[in-house]
Amino acid sequence: MDFLRNLFSQTLGLGTQKERLLDNLTLEGVAHYMLSERCRRVICLVGAGISTSAGIPDFRSPSTGLYANLQKYNLPYPEAIFEIGYFKKHPEAFFALAKELYPGQFKPTLCHYFIRLLKEKGLLLRCYTQNIDTLERVAGLEPEDLVEAHGTFYTSHCISPLCRQEYTLSWMKEKIFSEVTPKCEKCESVVKPDIVFFGENLPARFFSCIQSDFLKVDLLIIMGTSLQGCGLAG
């Protein structure tokens, strides 16, 4: 969090007496700024809230969130379903949940298409997403437009450090919907989608992009995330 706070302060002028960019702190003020010559590069930071209207639950809402509805998996605590240590011992719970949430069953929302519109207008510098639902890709963003901070279902790898065989989205989908724990065809270890579990490092692309992108950005838009418990918050 300190890293992002300092980065925003330096690059966006937070906490300084720099020139006032917005006529007023409203959507109209933001829209007016985006139409000006001063706004050429926009970064979006997005989380689960932009996908809830597509039918995908967020994580932390008290009654409807994902963590509040995991009783059937008999977890020691809700977050365990996304912990790498627990996954290695009990992968079945995650794959049962993955069948319910698997990409391809949901359609992008207005928020996703808004981000694509920014791209079409030549304004989008990057979209940093906490989401693993791939709806940014479905909406039309290319891999270069994205930093999938929590990884993606798009590819999968064997978890054995001596193997690391890669598998496709279609291969993983077939296993999950057959209710078979995906096992590596080379070494028989479990195969995990390339999403970031608690206890794993964020993708290298996150660190390489964030250092350069935030030195260029004119406008930062945060949608659908509290930035709690995530790599985007530190």
Side-chain angles (χ1 to χ4, degrees):
M1 180 63 82
D2 288 339
F3 169 73
L4 276 188
R5 185 180 294 114
N6 292 334
L7 193 61
F8 292 167
S9 178
Q10 294 169 15
T11 59
L12 301 180
L14 301 182
T16 72
Q17 296 301 315
K18 285 191 174 183
E19 174 190 3
R20 185 185 180 101
L21 297 179
L22 299 183
D23 297 330
N24 51 73
L25 296 176
T26 63
L27 286 176
E28 289 79 9
V30 173
H32 186 264
Y33 174 62
M34 293 178 72
L35 290 171
S36 74
E37 290 296 317
R38 295 176 296 172
C39 184
R40 297 178 180 274
R41 295 172 294 267
V42 178
I43 288 177
C44 294
L45 300 185
V46 302
I50 74 166
S51 295
T52 52
S53 61
I56 302 173
D58 65 12
F59 286 84
R60 300 176 187 278
S61 294
S63 59
T64 60
L66 187 64
Y67 287 153
N69 292 277
L70 295 175
Q71 298 88 345
K72 59 186 175 182
Y73 298 115
N74 298 314
L75 302 169
Y77 44 90
E79 292 82 357
I81 203 163
F82 291 118
E83 285 188 353
I84 190 62
Y86 186 85
F87 173 83
K88 288 178 178 178
K89 296 177 181 177
H90 307 285
E92 299 83 8
F94 168 77
F95 286 117
L97 176 64
K99 183 178 179 181
E100 297 182 34
L101 302 179
Y102 203 77
Q105 304 179 82
F106 306 96
K107 295 181 179 180
T109 68
L110 287 176
C111 288
H112 296 97
Y113 287 118
F114 168 69
I115 301 169
R116 190 184 79 176
L117 180 63
L118 293 178
K119 170 183 168 65
E120 292 174 348
K121 296 293 185 181
L123 291 172
L124 183 68
L125 175 58
R126 203 87 64 198
C127 175
Y128 287 75
T129 178
Q130 299 171 326
N131 299 335
I132 59 174
D133 53 38
T134 74
L135 289 182
E136 295 88 5
R137 293 177 184 249
V138 177
L141 296 190
E142 300 295 332
E144 178 58 28
D145 302 320
L146 287 167
V147 172
E148 292 164 316
H150 289 176
T152 177
F153 268 101
Y154 202 71
T155 55
S156 301
H157 282 84
C158 171
I159 65 172
S160 170
L162 299 176
C163 180
R164 299 299 294 160
Q165 176 73 22
E166 181 173 320
Y167 292 89
T168 65
L169 180 68
S170 59
W171 183 93
M172 177 59 71
K173 181 177 181 179
E174 190 275 327
K175 300 297 182 185
I176 288 177
F177 280 84
S178 298
E179 299 184 357
V180 174
T181 298
K183 295 291 184 70
C184 179
E185 295 173 357
K186 291 181 64 177
C187 73
E188 287 297 309
S189 296
V190 175
V191 176
K192 182 180 79 65
D194 291 341
I195 63 174
V196 179
F197 278 47
F198 294 115
E200 292 187 302
N201 293 325
L202 296 182
R205 177 170 168 77
F206 172 85
F207 297 101
S208 62
C209 286
I210 201 170
Q211 292 284 358
S212 60
D213 286 350
F214 280 88
L215 296 175
K216 307 171 187 174
V217 64
D218 298 314
L219 177 66
L220 172 67
I221 299 176
I222 301 174
M223 298 186 289
T225 175
S226 66
L227 296 180
Q228 293 182 9
C230 68
L232 295 179

